[in-house]
Amino acid sequence: MPELPEVESVRAYIEAHAVGKRIEDVRLLLPRLVKNTTPEEFCRLLTGQTISAVSRKGKYLLLRCSGGPSLLVHLRMTGSLIYQEEYEEIRGQRIIFALNEGYILYRDVRTLGCLWLVPPEGPTGISGYDSLGPDGNSDKFTLSYLQEALQSSKRSVKSFLLDQTCVAGLGNIYADEALFLAGVRPQRRCCDISPDECRRLHEAIGVVLRQGLAHGGTTIRDFISGNGQEGSNQAFLQVYGKEGTPCPRCGHTIIYTKFAGRGTHYCPHCQV
Ligand SMILES: [Zn+2]
């Protein structure tokens, strides 16, 4: 699933190509992707709107439209937005937005993505979006925020990091990488994490997200960023997908285990 750095690379790409352009026609090839309105309303309300900004919060993209509802998108597993100057059919295309110049294609091979029409300001009524915690790379994600949130939680730190209401933008890859960098085992209970470990974890979350952003995201399986260019962060991962290989820090074998319903990678020696 695209996480914060991957969604951000799509955002920047779509912003560069679509802001200021008018949606002249919408072809919704798979109506069930639209969650909070009818296919007819979706196409009618977006047609004629000008895209004024593209923002991101957590793993959500928001295409703001001047004068009408905004388009909220969650890419889930394999969703992406692709800009084309000339229309060309691509595998997995589900929605075609014809602009006054060029096209935006919503592509989604596994069709798990979600799109909503939302008010341009204030609560959207989409609970997953409205309840998002601070982005893991934002000024609002402070050390004291993390300390308080960890102290008041009895669950595992891995499931805490994946909970978008606690910290937004992390998924399996960046959560595993941050825990490795901090030297904290994913199974640890949040309230048992020491102030020093919390400091390391706070710093590690910022480091892995900034690294992912700098490399245009991580390309695994089906993720293709907006411009069709693959991110290169996979070359810099230390534990994710590295099961059975030596830990880059201590040489012990990286373990893969199912935990909290998700695959989890960690070093049993330097993560305590
Ligand atoms: Zn190690």
Side-chain angles (χ1 to χ4, degrees):
M1 178 189 285
E3 304 177 32
L4 187 153
E6 294 78 46
V7 178
E8 178 60 26
S9 77
V10 176
R11 187 207 66 77
Y13 175 75
I14 291 301
E15 177 182 61
H17 287 87
V19 167
K21 293 183 180 168
R22 194 175 60 251
I23 300 170
E24 301 212 315
D25 186 48
V26 182
R27 280 181 56 206
L28 179 54
L29 305 175
L30 189 62
R32 68 172 166 79
L33 294 174
V34 176
K35 302 301 180 187
N36 69 339
T37 184
T38 64
E40 294 76 21
E41 281 285 281
F42 181 82
C43 297
R44 187 179 68 78
L45 290 171
L46 286 175
T47 300
Q49 300 299 333
T50 297
I51 299 168
S52 57
V54 186
S55 60
R56 180 198 53 75
K57 197 172 172 195
K59 305 175 196 171
Y60 290 81
L61 284 169
L62 185 65
L63 278 73
R64 292 177 186 275
C65 297
S66 51
S70 295
L71 175 61
L72 185 65
V73 183
H74 196 301
L75 304 170
R76 301 280 179 207
M77 294 294 283
T78 57
S80 194
L81 291 168
I82 292 163
Y83 177 80
Q84 295 180 338
E85 284 183 7
E86 302 288 337
Y87 173 70
E88 187 184 339
E89 185 175 339
I90 53 169
R91 186 176 76 95
Q93 67 180 29
R94 308 298 177 197
I95 308 174
I96 303 159
F97 301 92
L99 309 176
N100 60 321
E101 276 177 63
Y103 298 82
I104 296 173
L105 274 60
Y106 176 76
R107 171 186 188 264
D108 194 343
V109 172
R110 292 179 63 179
T111 72
L112 297 169
C114 302
L115 296 94
W116 303 265
L117 291 184
V118 298
E121 300 299 334
T124 63
I126 310 305
S127 59
Y129 183 79
D130 291 340
S131 67
L132 284 171
D135 272 18
N137 67 338
S138 73
D139 294 344
K140 289 181 181 161
F141 183 66
T142 61
L143 178 58
S144 60
Y145 168 85
L146 182 62
Q147 268 163 344
E148 278 175 36
L150 288 176
Q151 273 165 16
S152 62
S153 173
K154 290 190 167 69
R155 63 177 153 167
S156 74
V157 64
K158 174 74 184 269
S159 59
F160 173 90
L161 294 180
L162 294 178
D163 183 341
Q164 302 299 299
T165 68
C166 298
V167 47
L170 293 175
N172 225 17
I173 298 173
Y174 296 96
D176 281 5
E177 291 294 311
L179 287 165
F180 173 76
L181 208 55
V184 175
R185 207 174 270 216
Q187 296 89 336
R188 289 274 301 281
R189 284 207 313 176
C190 291
C191 54
D192 295 336
I193 288 174
S194 73
D196 193 44
E197 289 171 324
C198 180
R199 255 193 304 280
R200 295 205 306 263
L201 182 59
H202 181 260
E203 191 184 330
I205 290 167
V207 167
V208 298
L209 289 175
R210 283 195 298 275
Q211 178 188 278
L213 287 164
H215 297 137
T218 302
T219 305
I220 291 175
R221 297 184 214 105
D222 259 335
F223 173 71
I224 297 176
S225 66
N227 54 8
Q229 301 279 309
E230 299 194 335
S232 62
N233 195 56
Q234 62 278 10
F236 299 87
L237 299 179
Q238 308 217 55
V239 288
Y240 185 87
K242 304 290 184 186
E243 59 270 27
T245 68
C247 167
R249 193 181 289 157
C250 75
H252 280 71
T253 304
I254 302 291
I255 284 178
Y256 172 84
T257 181
K258 281 270 181 194
F259 178 69
R262 304 291 297 273
T264 290
H265 311 75
Y266 69 98
C267 172
H269 181 69
C270 53
Q271 286 175 263
V272 295

mmCIF file of all heavy atoms in Angstrom, residues 158 172 176 185-187 243 254-266:
data_model
loop_
_atom_site.group_PDB
_atom_site.id
_atom_site.type_symbol
_atom_site.label_atom_id
_atom_site.label_comp_id
_atom_site.label_asym_id
_atom_site.label_seq_id
_atom_site.Cartn_x
_atom_site.Cartn_y
_atom_site.Cartn_z
ATOM 1 N N LYS A 158 3.745 -1.483 17.326
ATOM 2 C CA LYS A 158 3.517 -1.653 15.880
ATOM 3 C C LYS A 158 2.080 -1.291 15.516
ATOM 4 O O LYS A 158 1.847 -0.535 14.562
ATOM 5 C CB LYS A 158 3.848 -3.086 15.456
ATOM 6 C CG LYS A 158 3.514 -3.440 14.006
ATOM 7 C CD LYS A 158 4.455 -2.830 13.001
ATOM 8 C CE LYS A 158 4.055 -3.102 11.573
ATOM 9 N NZ LYS A 158 4.616 -4.297 10.991
ATOM 10 N N ASN A 172 3.078 -0.431 6.742
ATOM 11 C CA ASN A 172 3.934 -1.522 7.190
ATOM 12 C C ASN A 172 5.425 -1.256 6.939
ATOM 13 O O ASN A 172 6.262 -1.575 7.767
ATOM 14 C CB ASN A 172 3.511 -2.797 6.468
ATOM 15 C CG ASN A 172 3.425 -3.958 7.419
ATOM 16 O OD1 ASN A 172 3.371 -3.764 8.638
ATOM 17 N ND2 ASN A 172 3.445 -5.156 6.890
ATOM 18 N N ASP A 176 7.968 -0.579 10.198
ATOM 19 C CA ASP A 176 9.047 -1.542 10.490
ATOM 20 C C ASP A 176 10.414 -0.866 10.456
ATOM 21 O O ASP A 176 11.274 -1.128 11.296
ATOM 22 C CB ASP A 176 9.027 -2.697 9.469
ATOM 23 C CG ASP A 176 7.943 -3.726 9.776
ATOM 24 O OD1 ASP A 176 7.161 -3.500 10.717
ATOM 25 O OD2 ASP A 176 7.878 -4.759 9.073
ATOM 26 N N ARG A 185 11.428 -3.245 19.645
ATOM 27 C CA ARG A 185 10.765 -4.421 19.072
ATOM 28 C C ARG A 185 9.281 -4.113 18.819
ATOM 29 O O ARG A 185 8.623 -3.501 19.669
ATOM 30 C CB ARG A 185 10.917 -5.600 20.036
ATOM 31 C CG ARG A 185 10.881 -6.935 19.354
ATOM 32 C CD ARG A 185 11.185 -8.043 20.332
ATOM 33 N NE ARG A 185 12.633 -8.308 20.383
ATOM 34 C CZ ARG A 185 13.158 -9.522 20.536
ATOM 35 N NH1 ARG A 185 12.360 -10.568 20.667
ATOM 36 N NH2 ARG A 185 14.464 -9.694 20.564
ATOM 37 N N PRO A 186 8.749 -4.518 17.666
ATOM 38 C CA PRO A 186 7.366 -4.161 17.301
ATOM 39 C C PRO A 186 6.313 -4.618 18.307
ATOM 40 O O PRO A 186 5.279 -3.989 18.458
ATOM 41 C CB PRO A 186 7.151 -4.877 15.958
ATOM 42 C CG PRO A 186 8.518 -5.199 15.448
ATOM 43 C CD PRO A 186 9.426 -5.298 16.618
ATOM 44 N N GLN A 187 6.603 -5.711 19.008
ATOM 45 C CA GLN A 187 5.612 -6.293 19.934
ATOM 46 C C GLN A 187 5.543 -5.565 21.275
ATOM 47 O O GLN A 187 4.642 -5.851 22.082
ATOM 48 C CB GLN A 187 5.944 -7.772 20.209
ATOM 49 C CG GLN A 187 5.862 -8.679 19.005
ATOM 50 C CD GLN A 187 7.183 -8.763 18.234
ATOM 51 O OE1 GLN A 187 8.021 -7.876 18.293
ATOM 52 N NE2 GLN A 187 7.346 -9.841 17.462
ATOM 53 N N GLU A 243 13.809 -10.509 5.462
ATOM 54 C CA GLU A 243 13.828 -11.691 6.314
ATOM 55 C C GLU A 243 14.854 -12.712 5.809
ATOM 56 O O GLU A 243 15.000 -12.913 4.603
ATOM 57 C CB GLU A 243 12.436 -12.332 6.418
ATOM 58 C CG GLU A 243 11.817 -12.768 5.112
ATOM 59 C CD GLU A 243 10.983 -11.659 4.467
ATOM 60 O OE1 GLU A 243 11.273 -10.470 4.712
ATOM 61 O OE2 GLU A 243 10.063 -12.000 3.709
ATOM 62 N N ILE A 254 17.474 -11.306 10.273
ATOM 63 C CA ILE A 254 16.207 -10.569 10.362
ATOM 64 C C ILE A 254 15.048 -11.578 10.360
ATOM 65 O O ILE A 254 15.011 -12.494 9.544
ATOM 66 C CB ILE A 254 16.045 -9.599 9.166
ATOM 67 C CG1 ILE A 254 17.210 -8.600 9.103
ATOM 68 C CG2 ILE A 254 14.706 -8.889 9.205
ATOM 69 C CD1 ILE A 254 17.248 -7.592 10.206
ATOM 70 N N ILE A 255 14.119 -11.352 11.255
ATOM 71 C CA ILE A 255 12.966 -12.243 11.423
ATOM 72 C C ILE A 255 11.744 -11.636 10.736
ATOM 73 O O ILE A 255 11.553 -10.415 10.741
ATOM 74 C CB ILE A 255 12.677 -12.447 12.928
ATOM 75 C CG1 ILE A 255 13.713 -13.412 13.529
ATOM 76 C CG2 ILE A 255 11.271 -12.971 13.165
ATOM 77 C CD1 ILE A 255 13.517 -13.620 15.014
ATOM 78 N N TYR A 256 10.925 -12.540 10.165
ATOM 79 C CA TYR A 256 9.608 -12.131 9.663
ATOM 80 C C TYR A 256 8.563 -12.892 10.451
ATOM 81 O O TYR A 256 8.655 -14.118 10.590
ATOM 82 C CB TYR A 256 9.477 -12.468 8.174
ATOM 83 C CG TYR A 256 8.092 -12.248 7.612
ATOM 84 C CD1 TYR A 256 7.688 -10.991 7.187
ATOM 85 C CD2 TYR A 256 7.180 -13.305 7.515
ATOM 86 C CE1 TYR A 256 6.425 -10.782 6.679
ATOM 87 C CE2 TYR A 256 5.902 -13.105 7.004
ATOM 88 C CZ TYR A 256 5.531 -11.841 6.587
ATOM 89 O OH TYR A 256 4.273 -11.649 6.091
ATOM 90 N N THR A 257 7.590 -12.175 10.956
ATOM 91 C CA THR A 257 6.530 -12.855 11.692
ATOM 92 C C THR A 257 5.207 -12.139 11.436
ATOM 93 O O THR A 257 5.181 -10.953 11.127
ATOM 94 C CB THR A 257 6.850 -12.881 13.204
ATOM 95 O OG1 THR A 257 5.812 -13.569 13.881
ATOM 96 C CG2 THR A 257 6.989 -11.491 13.781
ATOM 97 N N LYS A 258 4.123 -12.900 11.539
ATOM 98 C CA LYS A 258 2.800 -12.269 11.452
ATOM 99 C C LYS A 258 2.466 -11.733 12.825
ATOM 100 O O LYS A 258 2.499 -12.448 13.816
ATOM 101 C CB LYS A 258 1.750 -13.307 11.034
ATOM 102 C CG LYS A 258 1.767 -13.590 9.552
ATOM 103 C CD LYS A 258 0.818 -12.660 8.810
ATOM 104 C CE LYS A 258 0.845 -13.007 7.314
ATOM 105 N NZ LYS A 258 0.236 -11.979 6.492
ATOM 106 N N PHE A 259 2.170 -10.463 12.888
ATOM 107 C CA PHE A 259 1.875 -9.858 14.180
ATOM 108 C C PHE A 259 0.838 -8.771 13.980
ATOM 109 O O PHE A 259 0.951 -7.971 13.058
ATOM 110 C CB PHE A 259 3.168 -9.277 14.779
ATOM 111 C CG PHE A 259 2.941 -8.594 16.079
ATOM 112 C CD1 PHE A 259 2.607 -9.321 17.212
ATOM 113 C CD2 PHE A 259 3.023 -7.217 16.168
ATOM 114 C CE1 PHE A 259 2.372 -8.690 18.408
ATOM 115 C CE2 PHE A 259 2.787 -6.577 17.363
ATOM 116 C CZ PHE A 259 2.465 -7.315 18.485
ATOM 117 N N ALA A 260 -0.164 -8.760 14.838
ATOM 118 C CA ALA A 260 -1.260 -7.791 14.720
ATOM 119 C C ALA A 260 -1.868 -7.833 13.313
ATOM 120 O O ALA A 260 -2.235 -6.807 12.756
ATOM 121 C CB ALA A 260 -0.778 -6.376 15.062
ATOM 122 N N GLY A 261 -1.905 -9.044 12.751
ATOM 123 C CA GLY A 261 -2.529 -9.222 11.450
ATOM 124 C C GLY A 261 -1.671 -8.787 10.281
ATOM 125 O O GLY A 261 -2.096 -8.867 9.131
ATOM 126 N N ARG A 262 -0.446 -8.319 10.558
ATOM 127 C CA ARG A 262 0.407 -7.828 9.485
ATOM 128 C C ARG A 262 1.767 -8.515 9.538
ATOM 129 O O ARG A 262 2.227 -8.917 10.599
ATOM 130 C CB ARG A 262 0.631 -6.303 9.628
ATOM 131 C CG ARG A 262 -0.644 -5.486 9.672
ATOM 132 C CD ARG A 262 -1.361 -5.493 8.336
ATOM 133 N NE ARG A 262 -0.572 -4.877 7.289
ATOM 134 C CZ ARG A 262 -0.571 -3.583 7.009
ATOM 135 N NH1 ARG A 262 -1.311 -2.757 7.693
ATOM 136 N NH2 ARG A 262 0.176 -3.119 6.022
ATOM 137 N N GLY A 263 2.392 -8.623 8.385
ATOM 138 C CA GLY A 263 3.769 -9.094 8.351
ATOM 139 C C GLY A 263 4.662 -8.074 9.037
ATOM 140 O O GLY A 263 4.487 -6.872 8.849
ATOM 141 N N THR A 264 5.565 -8.554 9.867
ATOM 142 C CA THR A 264 6.437 -7.651 10.616
ATOM 143 C C THR A 264 7.877 -8.146 10.522
ATOM 144 O O THR A 264 8.132 -9.335 10.665
ATOM 145 C CB THR A 264 5.977 -7.600 12.096
ATOM 146 O OG1 THR A 264 4.730 -6.921 12.155
ATOM 147 C CG2 THR A 264 6.973 -6.878 12.965
ATOM 148 N N HIS A 265 8.769 -7.216 10.246
ATOM 149 C CA HIS A 265 10.187 -7.553 10.105
ATOM 150 C C HIS A 265 10.966 -6.870 11.219
ATOM 151 O O HIS A 265 10.765 -5.674 11.459
ATOM 152 C CB HIS A 265 10.734 -7.056 8.765
ATOM 153 C CG HIS A 265 9.894 -7.430 7.577
ATOM 154 N ND1 HIS A 265 8.702 -6.816 7.291
ATOM 155 C CD2 HIS A 265 10.085 -8.364 6.616
ATOM 156 C CE1 HIS A 265 8.189 -7.352 6.193
ATOM 157 N NE2 HIS A 265 9.002 -8.299 5.766
ATOM 158 N N TYR A 266 11.858 -7.615 11.873
ATOM 159 C CA TYR A 266 12.692 -6.972 12.900
ATOM 160 C C TYR A 266 13.939 -7.795 13.175
ATOM 161 O O TYR A 266 14.021 -8.967 12.820
ATOM 162 C CB TYR A 266 11.889 -6.734 14.181
ATOM 163 C CG TYR A 266 11.516 -7.988 14.940
ATOM 164 C CD1 TYR A 266 12.276 -8.413 16.028
ATOM 165 C CD2 TYR A 266 10.406 -8.743 14.576
ATOM 166 C CE1 TYR A 266 11.941 -9.556 16.736
ATOM 167 C CE2 TYR A 266 10.067 -9.886 15.274
ATOM 168 C CZ TYR A 266 10.828 -10.290 16.354
ATOM 169 O OH TYR A 266 10.496 -11.433 17.034
#
